[in-house]
Amino acid sequence: DTGVRSASENMALDEAILEARSRGLVPNTVRLLQFSPEAVLVGYHQSVEQEVRLSYCESEGIDVNRRITGGGAIYFDKTQLGWELIASKDDLGVSVASGALFGSICEAVVRALRKLGLTAEFRPKNDIEIGGRKISGTGGTEVAGAFLFQGTLLVDFDVERMLRALKIPTEKLKDKEVDSVRERVTCLKWELGCTPPLEELKSAIRDGFEETFMVKLLDSGLTGPEKSLFQEKLRRFSSPDWIHKVRQDPGEQQILRSAHKTEGGLIRVSLALNLKEKSIRSILITGDFFAFPKRTIYDLEAALRNARADMDEIERAVFLFFNHREAVIPGVTPSDFV
């Protein structure tokens, strides 16, 4: 448990512990972490300028930094609890840190949530959900023979603050759009009606990892090698060169909106298009239609994320999605979404 630290400290520790494990200097490790000040963390391959509303973050004292793992930008407030597994691939019997492995790691946190009385599930590619609503996003990376897999557990959550800190397809936040995003995520406070004690959460996660991997975790502070590597790396992770490692002109991204009237109601789509890669960076589908189960639309958004901005490709993706779902959307066909 590395406690409450700044974004640069937490990012430096990620690399320090992973490197120490890859060199055989430390054992397999489960790490718990928190942030203060609040932080926005972009994925390793992302551009801060494209993902973050920098003026808002600067005025609100929100740290901005870059993860060593891929994936999308996330907002990490002071209530959230980060969890990580840093381990040898050999010890887990894998040569590649695959999606199947990540699903099994997420099982540890799924078990932890069930101990709190919540019905949680892993949703490919990298989310943990409750009733179709995301409560933990995850991501990973590897070095030599070791890998790091990490996630965030939403304890309490200010949706409006997150939306102001991150650039998403809704440039002008309307009540309906905020409500729509709120329907896609959840947190422990909303699910339980209260905020569980932090130590109870940590204990549940610990138990979840012990049961999933059939091990006994031992309490430990940072080891000598980890402390040394951390001090070596901290300056780099605090530097503009690291934070702005990937620079892309905000003009390389375009926000597109469209509406389509169907027999079942109006479909509205907002998406952020990566012009350089010709792909859908993020997408939000709303409207006044009815979908059963409700999570169908959230899963469709996930299926279209990072898809090529090509009509045939999108048509294939949408029809493939509905061919494998028992979804009912009265008066709306897959072609309507295309």
Side-chain angles (χ1 to χ4, degrees):
D1 184 350
T2 53
V4 180
R5 293 176 179 264
S6 69
S8 57
E9 289 175 323
N10 273 323
M11 299 304 96
L13 275 174
D14 278 349
E15 188 169 275
I17 300 171
L18 177 59
E19 184 176 323
R21 183 66 195 98
S22 73
R23 290 161 56 181
L25 302 175
V26 297
N28 297 328
T29 300
V30 171
R31 178 187 176 212
L32 299 176
L33 60 149
Q34 291 174 277
F35 287 75
S36 183
E38 304 159 80
V40 166
L41 307 173
V42 298
Y44 181 77
H45 302 287
Q46 290 187 310
S47 158
V48 167
E49 290 81 7
Q50 285 197 340
E51 305 294 334
V52 183
R53 299 185 199 276
L54 282 169
S55 59
Y56 178 79
C57 290
E58 289 169 3
S59 68
E60 294 293 313
I62 300 172
D63 271 359
V64 176
N65 212 293
R66 175 178 305 277
R67 301 192 306 277
I68 65 171
T69 56
I74 58 174
Y75 165 66
F76 218 122
D77 68 22
K78 294 179 182 179
T79 71
Q80 290 175 48
L81 181 62
W83 56 269
E84 300 178 341
L85 174 65
I86 304 100
S88 160
K89 288 187 283 187
D90 286 343
D91 290 342
L92 271 71
V94 297
S95 58
V96 178
S98 65
L101 172 64
F102 294 163
S104 66
I105 297 171
C106 285
E107 177 63 24
V109 179
V110 167
R111 288 181 184 232
L113 291 169
R114 288 175 181 166
K115 290 177 183 295
L116 299 174
L118 300 172
T119 304
E121 295 178 340
F122 174 66
R123 176 173 65 190
K125 303 175 184 176
N126 58 347
D127 292 338
I128 298 172
E129 59 166 39
I130 295 175
R133 302 166 77 191
K134 177 177 173 177
I135 195 166
S136 182
T138 66
T141 191
E142 58 183 84
V143 171
F147 70 89
L148 177 149
F149 189 74
Q150 60 188 183
T152 63
L153 185 60
L154 298 179
V155 179
D156 195 358
F157 200 50
D158 186 336
V159 174
E160 289 86 350
R161 191 165 176 82
M162 177 199 73
L163 294 178
R164 291 191 184 100
L166 300 179
K167 288 183 178 178
I168 64 163
T170 51
E171 286 293 305
K172 294 182 179 179
L173 300 177
K174 301 174 183 176
D175 289 342
K176 276 190 176 181
E177 292 172 335
V178 172
D179 289 342
S180 182
V181 172
R182 189 180 281 115
E183 288 175 355
R184 287 157 170 75
V185 296
T186 190
C187 63
L188 293 178
K189 185 175 182 180
W190 300 351
E191 295 293 330
L192 297 172
C194 63
T195 303
L198 189 59
E199 290 309 313
E200 182 181 342
L201 297 182
K202 292 178 178 179
S203 178
I205 291 174
R206 178 187 186 131
D207 290 347
F209 272 99
E210 289 184 336
E211 292 173 9
T212 300
F213 292 99
M214 294 180 286
V215 295
K216 181 68 177 175
L217 294 175
L218 304 176
D219 290 320
S220 172
L222 293 173
T223 65
E226 288 167 333
K227 289 178 182 177
S228 296
L229 287 167
F230 169 65
Q231 291 301 328
E232 288 175 19
K233 296 174 182 298
L234 184 55
R235 178 177 293 182
R236 178 165 67 92
F237 280 91
S238 305
S239 70
D241 285 346
W242 168 256
I243 296 168
H244 297 278
K245 181 182 179 70
V246 178
R247 290 187 181 271
Q248 287 179 292
D249 185 342
E252 293 177 1
Q253 173 179 285
Q254 186 175 5
I255 304 297
L256 301 176
R257 296 180 182 82
S258 182
H260 175 60
K261 185 68 176 175
T262 74
E263 291 183 11
L266 187 69
I267 299 173
R268 292 186 182 277
V269 173
S270 298
L271 64 82
L273 187 67
N274 186 321
L275 294 176
K276 189 174 183 180
E277 298 179 3
K278 295 183 172 60
S279 64
I280 295 173
R281 189 180 66 80
S282 61
I283 183 167
L284 186 67
I285 302 171
T286 61
D288 57 4
F289 53 87
F290 294 92
F292 306 96
K294 192 174 185 179
R295 61 170 294 166
T296 300
I297 301 305
Y298 314 150
D299 290 342
L300 176 59
E301 291 170 345
L304 291 172
R305 201 174 302 132
N306 299 320
R308 282 195 303 117
D310 172 84
M311 191 64 177
D312 292 339
E313 174 82 7
I314 290 170
E315 186 170 37
R316 277 194 296 272
V318 171
F319 275 86
L320 182 65
F321 174 85
F322 282 105
N323 285 343
H324 291 82
R325 291 289 193 288
E326 292 184 2
V328 176
I329 309 178
V332 180
T333 69
S335 295
D336 287 319
F337 287 103
V338 176

